[in-house]
Amino acid sequence: MRDERMTVRVLLCQDVEDKGLPVASLLSFLQEQGVEAQVASQLCPHPYQIAQKAKGADQLIVATCYRWEAAGELEEYARRAGVSPLAFQVVPLARICEGDPRPLEKAQASLAMAVLRARAFPGARPENLRPYLLPRQRRITRRALFSLSSLSYRPIPTVHRARCRAEDGCRQCVHTCPHEALEEEGGIIQLRREACTSCGACVMACPQLALEMPGWSPEEVRAELEAALAYGQGRGIAFICPQIAPPGGPWMAVRVPCASAVSVAALLFALQGGAVAVGHCRHQCQSGLRQVVEARLDFCRSLLTALGKDPVIIPLVDATDGHIDLPVPPLQERGPTSIGPIAGAGADAQAILSLTGDHLLTLAHEGAPLGVAQVDESSCTLCSSCAFSCPTGALGYEEREGQAFLSFEATLCIACGQCVESCPERERGAIAIWRGVDTATLREGRKTVAKDEMVSCQRCGERVATAKMLSRLEGLLGAQFSSRRMAQLCQDCRGLPL
């Protein structure tokens, strides 16, 4: 649970003044944001000050000159002050403002992004942390052999059991994880901590938001993206992982655990504010899902092209030694001040509808995050298997007034194909999934795709099955089908004397 009373503190290195960023203006801006702000002399060369100055803070933001990596020395001093590694951010003001035509404006925007991200922190539990040793950055000496590398922490996801639909057959997180770190046992999703790389792909893939990874939660990423659009004044949005340094120039860096955790919704909302780029750390990538990311980018590009717009989407940018080289994007008008959710069932559809407006288009694409369940009413027996296996509720089943109804809501369909796998009549073509976007279908809302009469028990009045189901059974069993026993009596009454 997010604590509205949390203390957000910003430690500002006074040396940023020498880099052309007036400290007084930055302090005034932070005070307007309602956060505690302190200036520390020579904070960058003497970071041990963090251990004392950060005491009592729930969320800590250290505004440095050029240092951008949170893991290591800076994080260690923050931990000594009692700050969780998941509640710690580093904003290298001098680095990110290099090459920007309005550096103070960008510095203020970057601080606002960090503050709003901090306020969106959902809270963490000990099981969300996993320690690891940082790789040594220098040649090993004989003396160094007797010392350990610096200890840091990675966030790992935990499963919110009340939201998880694993009991109903949902395996989205299991199928998405590139390292087989998630397993299903008896309807419960289990995490193999030693296999998890904290890429966050499973968190963004879960339609029920049942996977929680504080520090990289969808709420935090959304808050930072929303702030980038509101304060960035039309600058480009660059999604970067912890292995990549925040870029300079007219780009606002939105931090994600991995490029694979950037959803289509996040990309489309970002495009409403200007240019978009996604950094890729190549061999250091935590997921190895490069093709998935490229497919999403291509889908967004194809969608905007279909709308007659000129998408400013930079192809996946490979990092060199932790840095990405981005072109100067065209500065756009100020982006939207608020955006919808970037993860969970319905998030991608909301972003697509927000972007397309009244346009009608149909776009089939392998990178599309949505789909349409195409039901053949002549083959469907309304057994309800598809509806009960659907992890998002896109397919629904209900009985009323002596009839059975199968319905479909396109905005909730993630094209997972679980409905097809569970359908006993799939070989007859009762249901299929079309991957793509059809804006007309998205706007229709929930609609009935199949219906049939319910046959009731002649003895007690309880439901037996749909007429189509009984007809199908008769066709399968032939002479073995007993109309009297199977079609006219419910399961409870079949054992009673006729």
Side-chain angles (χ1 to χ4, degrees):
M1 287 290 292
R2 185 180 302 122
D3 186 356
E4 300 295 338
R5 300 167 299 175
M6 73 167 63
T7 301
V8 179
R9 185 173 302 166
V10 178
L11 298 183
L12 180 62
C13 181
Q14 190 173 27
D15 295 345
V16 299
E17 184 89 41
D18 299 332
K19 315 301 179 183
L21 298 173
V23 170
S25 297
L26 295 174
L27 279 177
S28 176
F29 176 79
L30 289 169
Q31 289 171 358
E32 292 174 2
Q33 302 300 309
V35 300
E36 296 182 7
Q38 298 180 23
V39 177
S41 177
Q42 295 189 318
L43 180 62
C44 292
H46 304 299
Y48 57 82
Q49 301 175 71
I50 296 173
Q52 182 63 36
K53 294 181 179 295
K55 287 182 177 179
D58 299 307
Q59 285 278 330
L60 179 63
I61 301 166
V62 175
T64 64
C65 295
Y66 292 100
R67 300 183 66 170
W68 58 275
E69 293 176 303
E73 185 181 31
L74 300 184
E75 181 190 286
E76 181 180 345
Y77 287 124
R79 292 204 312 271
R80 291 182 186 180
V83 177
S84 168
L86 305 184
F88 175 55
Q89 302 178 62
V90 177
V91 182
L93 291 179
R95 175 186 294 275
I96 63 179
C97 291
E98 286 182 343
D100 190 273
R102 301 186 298 272
L104 177 59
E105 181 182 271
K106 183 178 181 182
Q108 292 173 336
S110 299
L111 289 172
M113 291 166 63
V115 169
L116 291 178
R117 182 178 184 123
R119 287 176 174 158
F121 183 67
R125 301 189 297 271
E127 53 264 38
N128 287 119
L129 284 169
R130 190 184 74 176
Y132 72 102
L133 294 176
L134 290 170
R136 297 180 186 271
Q137 301 298 321
R138 56 183 174 83
R139 180 187 298 179
I140 298 294
T141 64
R142 284 179 293 179
R143 177 174 295 180
L145 289 173
F146 294 96
S147 64
L148 292 174
S149 299
S150 297
L151 187 68
S152 189
Y153 290 85
R154 285 195 182 108
I156 58 174
T158 53
V159 181
H160 192 294
R161 296 283 170 81
R163 297 177 191 161
C164 183
R165 293 286 302 275
E167 287 186 352
D168 299 323
C170 182
R171 302 291 184 271
Q172 279 299 106
C173 59
V174 175
H175 296 157
T176 299
C177 180
H179 304 293
E180 300 181 349
L182 291 163
E183 301 172 331
E184 181 274 330
E185 296 179 8
I188 297 175
I189 300 297
Q190 304 285 358
L191 174 71
R192 294 195 301 119
R193 293 170 62 96
E194 71 280 1
C196 179
T197 63
S198 308
C199 70
C202 60
V203 177
M204 286 297 180
C206 179
Q208 300 299 329
L209 300 177
L211 284 157
E212 301 174 334
M213 194 164 77
W216 298 109
S217 67
E219 297 96 329
E220 292 167 272
V221 176
R222 175 191 176 187
E224 190 168 39
L225 174 57
E226 198 168 60
L229 293 170
Y231 290 92
Q233 299 295 328
R235 291 174 174 83
I237 303 295
F239 294 94
I240 61 170
C241 72
Q243 314 298 327
I244 299 176
W251 288 93
M252 305 304 300
V254 175
R255 291 160 299 156
V256 292
C258 176
S260 63
V262 183
S263 66
V264 166
L267 290 169
L268 293 181
F269 282 130
L271 280 166
Q272 294 185 40
V276 168
V278 178
H280 190 268
C281 56
R282 299 199 292 184
H283 62 278
Q284 297 183 26
C285 181
Q286 300 297 316
S287 71
L289 298 175
R290 183 188 183 98
Q291 291 183 339
V292 173
V293 182
E294 289 178 332
R296 287 178 190 159
L297 288 170
D298 189 66
F299 165 74
C300 293
R301 190 180 295 108
S302 299
L303 180 64
L304 268 73
T305 300
L307 291 170
K309 300 182 180 182
D310 183 19
V312 187
I313 305 177
I314 311 300
L316 201 60
V317 183
D318 286 326
T320 302
D321 295 329
H323 296 78
I324 53 176
D325 185 17
L326 295 173
V328 177
L331 289 179
Q332 306 292 324
E333 296 295 327
R334 181 171 176 170
T337 56
S338 63
I339 61 175
I342 62 171
D348 291 321
Q350 183 176 337
I352 290 170
L353 289 174
S354 175
L355 181 69
T356 57
D358 296 330
H359 289 82
L360 294 178
L361 65 87
T362 300
L363 175 65
H365 197 287
E366 64 177 8
L370 305 178
V372 176
Q374 300 172 326
V375 177
D376 180 7
E377 196 167 3
S378 64
S379 301
C380 176
T381 62
L382 283 94
C383 69
S384 74
S385 295
C386 59
F388 286 109
S389 68
C390 179
T392 66
L395 285 162
Y397 176 83
E398 64 174 329
E399 298 170 4
R400 64 177 187 273
E401 299 177 355
Q403 288 188 309
F405 297 87
L406 182 66
S407 62
F408 176 67
E409 168 63 75
T411 60
L412 298 178
C413 181
I414 57 175
C416 65
Q418 221 164 277
C419 54
V420 178
E421 293 179 10
S422 66
C423 177
E425 302 296 335
R426 60 181 177 273
E427 298 299 329
R428 299 172 64 221
I431 191 169
I433 290 293
W434 175 81
R435 180 178 288 275
V437 169
D438 185 298
T439 56
T441 304
L442 288 174
R443 293 193 185 94
E444 283 179 343
R446 186 168 292 278
K447 64 177 183 178
T448 298
V449 292
K451 65 178 181 179
D452 193 24
E453 297 293 328
M454 290 297 304
V455 175
S456 300
C457 177
Q458 293 185 358
R459 185 189 295 271
C460 68
E462 288 295 319
R463 65 181 291 272
V464 177
T466 63
K468 288 183 178 180
M469 174 69 76
L470 294 173
S471 176
R472 175 64 171 153
L473 288 174
E474 184 175 8
L476 290 171
L477 298 176
Q480 295 180 333
F481 182 81
S482 170
S483 176
R484 174 67 174 159
R485 287 286 185 186
M486 298 181 180
Q488 298 177 15
L489 297 176
C490 67
Q491 188 173 2
D492 293 335
C493 293
R494 286 170 193 164
L496 300 176
L498 295 176

